[in-house]
Amino acid sequence: MTESEIFEFFHNLGIVPVVKIDDAAKAEKLAEAMIKGGIPCAEVTFRTDAAEEAIRRMTTAFPEMIVGAGTVLNKETAERAVKAGAKFIVSPGLDEGTVRWCQENGIPVTPGVSSASEIQKGVNLGLKVLKFFPAESSGGVKMLKDLGGPFPQVKFMTTGGINTANLEEYARAKNVLAVGGSWMVKADLINEDKWDEIEALCREAVTKLQGFELAHFGINAKCKDCAEAMTKKFGAFGMIPSATSKSFFMDKSIEIMNENGRGTHGHIGYKVNNVQRAMNYVKNLGYTIAEDSYTYDASGKVKFFYVNEEIGGFAIHFMAK
Ligand code: 3PG
């Protein structure tokens, strides 16, 4: 995989777990649980002697899994990690020698930064993706938004203090490539062989990151007059109609389509934190995307889409929060 393919994969999945493993013999079980939970990637940190062997075992057993090395403090460690099969390198801080070694060897590298000066240094080394660490203690999402002003070209992998409670704020931030963290793969869970729990925590993280929120129900009327007649009926329940080019919204919770509404019975609309990631998520569930339903934001990114499959006769669409 090329560097841009790896970063695109991280963006679309949205999560890269940070692993501290004490016993390399548990690496395959851990990788299996993470893959089953929907997260086929990991940053294995060089905070234990088992890291190198764990990377080797994970990548041998699951070659499709994107395993990288974290807490890489110098180029010698980067070299060892890559020899063991690491596909990317992460450091807590910015070490020029490590960055240059990775660049010369075509290995994606994301050094840690937590200030404008460090970001500037990273940018001048030719990097477009940096690790924002430690995210929460360095100012969190507010700091990321402020940094987006002078550094619009930079995307961040954010780690340090992220968990299910604050995950979604990061998922909505425009300059976050992916969030990272150890909460779903804690060392204790690995040491105690809690594979089912790790799988469940991974699945919970992936779903939570999407931030699914029911937006409205759609009713298919046969014609505009029929739709308008319906607005009167819902109006009697205190709902206020507002017209769009193709429908009437009753408050925000019911949309009455004038004609040619999708779905056998109508549709259900969901809001999500990031439309691109939602597309990846539903594809992984086996849905296909109705590309003819796309609408775009000002920057040309898809902001709305339907899937082709219905649930109980209802078409389903997703849109940005
Ligand atoms: C890291 O190295 O990225 C962090 O240790 C992960 O942070 P967390 O343990 O707070 O998730």
Side-chain angles (χ1 to χ4, degrees), residues 157-218:
M157 310 264 284
T158 62
T159 71
I162 300 175
N163 51 50
T164 43
N166 56 11
L167 172 67
E168 286 198 57
E169 305 169 43
Y170 285 90
R172 281 194 294 274
K174 291 208 167 33
N175 53 355
V176 169
L177 184 86
V179 300
S182 57
W183 81 90
M184 72 302 263
V185 287
K186 285 263 179 251
D188 289 354
L189 297 175
I190 302 171
N191 288 336
E192 291 163 24
D193 298 319
K194 300 249 171 89
W195 311 123
D196 290 347
E197 198 170 328
I198 289 174
E199 181 186 330
L201 286 168
C202 287
R203 190 168 296 116
E204 181 197 33
V206 172
T207 311
K208 181 99 185 156
L209 180 94
Q210 300 295 332
F212 292 112
E213 189 184 303
L214 186 61
H216 60 256
F217 284 96

Side-chain angles (χ1 to χ4, degrees), residues 9 28 37 46 82 138 149 158 215 223 263 295 299 319:
F9 176 87
E28 290 91 345
F46 271 74
V82 170
S138 308
T158 62
C223 65
T295 65
S299 68
M319 58 191 175

Side-chain angles (χ1 to χ4, degrees), residues 18 43 47 131 133 159-162 181-182 186:
V18 177
E43 172 195 328
R47 289 176 206 175
K131 161 166 161 145
F133 174 79
T159 71
I162 300 175
S182 57
K186 285 263 179 251

Side-chain angles (χ1 to χ4, degrees), residues 123-159:
V123 167
N124 289 335
L125 282 167
L127 300 173
K128 293 199 178 73
V129 178
L130 296 166
K131 161 166 161 145
F132 181 52
F133 174 79
E136 278 292 281
S137 359
S138 308
V141 170
K142 180 161 183 346
M143 173 86 162
L144 281 170
K145 279 191 185 140
D146 291 345
L147 291 168
F151 302 111
Q153 74 277 45
V154 178
K155 295 268 182 280
F156 296 95
M157 310 264 284
T158 62
T159 71

